[in-house]
Amino acid sequence: MKLEELRLRHFRNYQDLTVTFGPGVNVLLGENAQGKTNLLEAIYFLALARSHRTSNDRELISWQAENAQVFGRVQKHSGQTPLELDLSKHGKKAKVNHLEQAKLSGYVGQLNVILFAPEDLSLVKGSPQGRRRFMDMEFGQMSHRYLYNTAQYRTILRQRNRYLKELGSKQQSDLVLLDVLSDQLAAYGSEIISARVTLLKRLEVWAAQVHQEISQQRETLSFHYVTSVKDDDLIDTQHIYDALKLLYQQHRDKELFRRTTLIGPHRDDLKFLVNDKDVSSFGSQGQQRTTALSVKLAEIDLMHEQTGEYPVLLLDDVLSELDDSRQTHLLTAIQDKVQTFLTTTSLSGVAQKLIHQPKVFRISNGEIQADD
């Protein structure tokens, strides 16, 4: 999968831009605050119809403009696919092959991207919410069903939490409706948990191989999915569904008291273990960074395994956060394998030696110039 062309209109500090990219490593070179990350954000937005930097889409539209457009031409095994997102204060419209999509779930997955930014180095040490978001964003690109189930789950979860608040304040008293909502939540929740367990097992296989290579066979990486459902019930979707329904019954009084849903995939977590020890608690900073790098590189192979296409890799100033050894492994792993977009203030040292024939773009104040 390759992003051959990108066109922006009134997106962040880009008023009118058309740029053609190379199939290998595309280096976005420039000083800070000139628009390098904005360009990566545009590619991410084109893929997922959402920003990785803000939840307010209005911030993506240039100052004093009414709307913004992002257009991309994607080359896949099946041929070229034009993608388009139109963004205004009224919302966004998504088009695939010039046909408007009724739902964003029909749009996401046309262009698969993996973003690796300095904050992703905190994937191991950061909050459970960040790890849940990581799973949902990556697995949603690989599976329309997963994307649909998470959207439905969030809708039912909001309804159930609202009803728990109404029950707690005596505005409602009908527990039958709570049972209906619990059943619906268990149905979608069991699909999500089942998919996570399956995909995490595959991701673990790829990540463990990378981690052993980086650590020179000294360390073994493994995953532990933390959920309220017992391990014995994680064998299939039906068992998970039955377990969730029972847990909602058992926790009813506590949830009524707390007025919120305490059980389900929105409360789950993912732990990373190095030599069977929780690397977030007992690992060194170097081990934590190696784990994060291993997981990110493993995503490339997992996405290829699940979709038949390699994703586009976005590296946002991440080289400056990695030592020479980890830089070397990252750049060697992606060379001639995936189309890559790399932002940096200077291309030197390890990167300059290892990147074969990069296509360099110099960015200044929302203007972009390709080196000959």
Side-chain angles (χ1 to χ4, degrees), residues 55-318:
S55 59
N56 182 3
D57 287 342
R58 186 65 182 84
E59 294 179 13
L60 305 179
I61 303 174
S62 297
W63 181 251
Q64 294 185 328
E66 292 296 319
N67 51 20
Q69 288 88 36
V70 181
F71 170 88
R73 189 176 72 244
V74 179
Q75 181 67 47
K76 298 191 280 189
H77 293 320
S78 58
Q80 285 188 350
T81 303
L83 303 178
E84 185 177 348
L85 286 171
D86 293 287
L87 181 61
S88 72
K89 62 182 179 181
H90 303 295
K92 53 196 165 195
K93 296 179 181 179
K95 296 180 182 179
V96 178
N97 281 323
H98 310 294
L99 298 176
E100 187 171 338
Q101 303 298 298
K103 295 183 178 180
L104 288 177
S105 58
Y107 175 88
V108 174
Q110 300 295 328
L111 170 63
N112 293 330
V113 298
I114 292 174
L115 173 70
F116 193 15
E119 56 265 29
D120 290 307
L121 291 168
S122 67
L123 175 67
V124 176
K125 191 80 172 172
S127 68
Q129 181 182 9
R131 287 184 286 275
R132 288 191 294 268
R133 185 178 184 274
F134 155 75
M135 289 187 283
D136 289 345
M137 296 303 292
E138 306 312 324
F139 298 162
Q141 292 187 78
M142 302 177 200
S143 167
H144 287 291
R145 182 175 178 179
Y146 186 93
L147 193 66
Y148 172 80
N149 286 329
T150 52
Q152 295 298 112
Y153 182 87
R154 283 192 290 267
T155 299
I156 302 300
L157 180 63
R158 285 193 295 269
Q159 295 174 354
R160 190 174 187 272
N161 283 341
R162 184 166 58 246
Y163 197 68
L164 282 169
K165 288 181 174 65
E166 292 172 352
L167 288 169
S169 61
K170 308 301 182 184
Q171 293 176 268
Q172 299 285 350
S173 59
D174 183 9
L175 294 178
V176 174
L177 178 56
L178 180 62
D179 289 336
V180 171
L181 292 171
S182 299
D183 183 76
Q184 292 175 339
L185 202 64
Y188 290 115
S190 61
E191 291 279 355
I192 294 168
I193 292 174
S194 179
R196 283 180 180 175
V197 169
T198 299
L199 290 170
L200 284 171
K201 284 180 180 177
R202 294 304 306 152
L203 184 65
E204 181 184 33
V205 170
W206 292 110
Q209 292 176 7
V210 177
H211 194 97
Q212 280 212 317
E213 291 171 7
I214 298 176
S215 67
Q216 298 179 336
Q217 314 301 317
R218 291 192 299 267
E219 297 174 355
T220 301
L221 174 65
S222 58
F223 296 175
H224 175 55
Y225 181 55
V226 182
T227 178
S228 299
V229 177
K230 295 179 181 178
D231 289 348
D232 291 344
D233 290 319
L234 293 175
I235 55 178
D236 59 33
T237 305
Q238 183 62 49
H239 280 79
I240 298 170
Y241 166 75
D242 292 338
L244 284 174
K245 285 192 67 176
L246 180 60
L247 285 167
Y248 287 134
Q249 292 174 8
Q250 293 173 342
H251 287 77
R252 173 180 283 184
D253 290 344
K254 186 181 292 186
E255 289 189 330
L256 286 169
F257 177 75
R258 297 275 297 273
R259 304 185 186 187
T260 192
T261 302
L262 301 174
I263 301 296
H266 68 290
R267 296 275 183 164
D268 292 350
D269 197 1
L270 174 61
K271 295 293 185 184
F272 302 100
L273 308 177
V274 172
N275 294 340
D276 296 323
K277 292 183 179 180
D278 185 348
V279 70
S280 67
S281 301
F282 302 104
S284 66
Q285 186 182 63
Q287 287 176 316
Q288 292 169 2
R289 291 193 167 205
T290 297
T291 299
L293 177 58
S294 300
V295 171
K296 281 296 175 180
L297 289 176
E299 285 183 70
I300 296 172
D301 289 303
L302 178 65
M303 205 167 280
H304 178 255
E305 178 183 88
Q306 297 295 316
T307 69
E309 297 270 5
Y310 280 111
V312 171
L313 181 62
L314 311 177
L315 301 177
D316 190 12
D317 199 30
V318 77

Side-chain angles (χ1 to χ4, degrees), residues 324 328 331 335 347-357:
D324 286 355
T328 299
L331 296 172
Q335 195 70 250
L347 191 61
S348 59
V350 172
Q352 193 172 41
K353 294 177 183 176
L354 289 180
I355 299 176
H356 301 157
Q357 299 179 325

